[in-house]
């Protein structure tokens, strides 16, 4: 020590001590995955493939409904249950499955769910009656419930916050690719060999995606085991439902999916009837429009960065409504344009809402995501059923009316959120 310093300390005296400055502990490094790293790419590809398998299986019958109707001699309303039963089973079981993922881990739950779902997918083509087909689809949907909530919770725990919206967007993009490839592939296969062979091909495709998903997905490093006690799960669910922002996001997801489920359940009937009379393969190719959803979901993070979450939701609702109105025309190019707008608006809005759920929940993320997925797929079941009933009663205009009501609901709820954000916070 320098001499001057020593003299100063001596003059203070023995009875007085000079406290040492507090030691600030070094901040622990954030070990979560960031964009551009090899782990991020593996994780994104694995969950992208999980999304492909989920949507290829979940909506495997949607593009084939006219053929299934003809084979079983059933109406559009009856056959639409092959879609509604799958999405309803998912909506019903997504919360119990999310509780299992809190106890046994995200990766284990997703692996078991996809294994059961693809196994049932290989049985579906052999359904001897419509009732058996609907029952198998309900069980398949229940199995698939283990994927959506676990996937978003896994990302929220393993990915850095700044990369979360992009990561969820890539997962949702996988959903759109699965929905598109399943419908396009099944449409052309069914045109040549029938709907049963088409469903078998989708089952084999899903098996390949499931195997690759399991091999690629990194072992989670930030998972904290939760409780399976019903009381604990119920309290977590109540906490999430008591959050006004989460309630709005759940309602928005349900309403967006009401539009999407109704439009894509009915569009095959519209295009196979007069004045279009398109063959099944061409009708299946209409679902190439899902590529628009792949892009809009992937860029939703940038949209939220520029417009904010509510701005993105307003834009998504406006695009969806415009697409519904354009699709009323009896000209095929305008119908395709309408589907492009509906699909782009839906996937952008869904990505913004679902990523906001994962970012808002501070505990029980799997349950928070599960509640969103439950609302989302209830919306799909309601939309596919109401859309089919409205089409049977009033044609395509009836289906569009159902969709416009749902979009109006999205706009109203988003406006409520905007007004709530502008209210002054009361002083403590």
């Amino acid at each position: 020590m320098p001499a001057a310093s020593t003299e100063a300390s001596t003059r203070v005296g023995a009875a007085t001590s000079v406290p040492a400055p507090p030691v600030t502990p070094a901040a622990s490094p954030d070990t979560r995955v960031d964009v551009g790293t090899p782990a991020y790419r593996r994780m994104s590809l694995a969950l992208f493939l999980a999304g492909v398998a989920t949507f290829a299986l979940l909506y495997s019958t949607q593009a084939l409904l006219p053929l299934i109707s003809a084979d079983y001699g059933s109406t559009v309303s009856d056959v639409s249950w092959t879609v509604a039963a799958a999405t309803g089973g998912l909506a019903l079981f997504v919360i119990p499955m999310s509780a299992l993922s809190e106890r046994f881990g995200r990766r284990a739950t997703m692996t078991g769910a996809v294994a059961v779902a693809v196994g049932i997918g290989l049985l579906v083509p052999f359904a001897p009656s419509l009732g058996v087909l609907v029952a198998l689809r309900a069980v398949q949907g229940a199995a698939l419930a283990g994927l959506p909530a676990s996937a978003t919770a896994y990302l929220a725990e393993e990915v850095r916050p700044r990369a979360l919206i992009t990561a969820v967007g890539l997962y949702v993009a996988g959903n759109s690719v699965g929905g598109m490839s399943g419908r396009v592939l099944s449409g052309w296969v069914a045109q040549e060999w029938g709907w049963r062979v088409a469903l078998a091909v989708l089952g084999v495709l899903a098996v390949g995606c499931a195997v690759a998903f399991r091999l690629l997905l990194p072992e989670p490093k930030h998972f904290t085991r939760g409780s399976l006690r019903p009381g604990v799960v119920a309290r977590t669910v109540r906490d999430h439902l008591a959050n006004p922002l989460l309630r709005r996001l759940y309602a928005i997801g349900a309403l967006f999916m009401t539009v999407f489920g109704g439009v894509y359940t009915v569009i095959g009937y519209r295009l196979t009837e007069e004045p279009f009379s398109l063959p099944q393969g061409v009708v299946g190719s209409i679902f190439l429009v899902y590529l628009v959803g792949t892009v809009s979901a992937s860029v939703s993070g940038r949209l939220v960065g520029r417009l904010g979450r509510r701005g993105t939701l307003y834009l998504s609702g406006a695009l969806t409504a415009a697409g519904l109105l354009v699709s009323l025309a009896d000209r095929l190019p305008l119908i395709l344009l309408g589907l492009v707008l509906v699909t782009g608006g839906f996937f952008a809005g869904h990505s913004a809402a679902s990523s906001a759920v994962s970012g808002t929940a501070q505990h029980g993320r799997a349950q928070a995501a599960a509640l969103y997925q439950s609302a989302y797929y209830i919306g799909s079941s309601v939309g596919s059923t109401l859309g089919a009933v409205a089409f049977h009663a009033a044609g395509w205009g009836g289906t569009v009316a159902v969709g416009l009501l749902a979009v109006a609901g999205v706009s109203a709820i988003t406006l409520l959120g905007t007004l709530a954000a502008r209210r002054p916070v009361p002083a403590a």
Side-chain angles (χ1 to χ4, degrees), residues 225-315:
R225 193 180 301 275
S227 173
L228 258 182
R229 293 199 302 273
V232 175
V233 175
R235 282 196 299 274
T236 302
V237 170
R238 282 199 305 270
D239 287 345
H240 294 324
L241 291 177
N243 186 317
L245 174 56
L246 289 177
R247 287 201 304 268
R248 290 195 295 269
L249 292 170
Y250 297 152
I252 286 170
L255 290 168
F256 264 128
M257 198 54 173
T258 298
V259 182
F260 201 67
V263 165
Y264 277 101
T265 294
V266 172
I267 192 63
Y269 285 96
R270 186 186 185 194
L271 296 179
T272 54
E273 293 180 353
E274 295 290 343
F276 306 106
S277 301
L278 297 180
Q280 187 64 44
V282 175
V283 171
S285 297
I286 295 295
F287 290 91
L288 284 168
V289 170
Y290 265 50
L291 287 171
V292 176
T294 305
V295 174
S296 67
S298 300
V299 303
S300 63
R302 277 178 278 175
L303 276 177
V304 172
R306 291 184 179 183
L307 305 176
R309 182 182 65 250
R310 287 185 292 272
T312 302
L313 291 173
Y314 283 129
L315 176 61

Side-chain angles (χ1 to χ4, degrees), residues 63-67 183 186-188 190-191 272 278-285:
L64 307 173
L65 294 182
L67 294 179
R183 291 164 171 92
S186 65
W188 285 107
Q191 183 173 305
T272 54
L278 297 180
Q280 187 64 44
V282 175
V283 171
S285 297

Side-chain angles (χ1 to χ4, degrees), residues 174-203:
N175 294 346
S176 70
V177 169
M180 176 204 68
S181 58
R183 291 164 171 92
V184 173
L185 180 62
S186 65
W188 285 107
V189 172
Q191 183 173 305
E192 297 297 327
W193 295 289
W195 65 269
R196 294 180 187 274
V197 175
L199 291 182
V201 170
L202 290 185

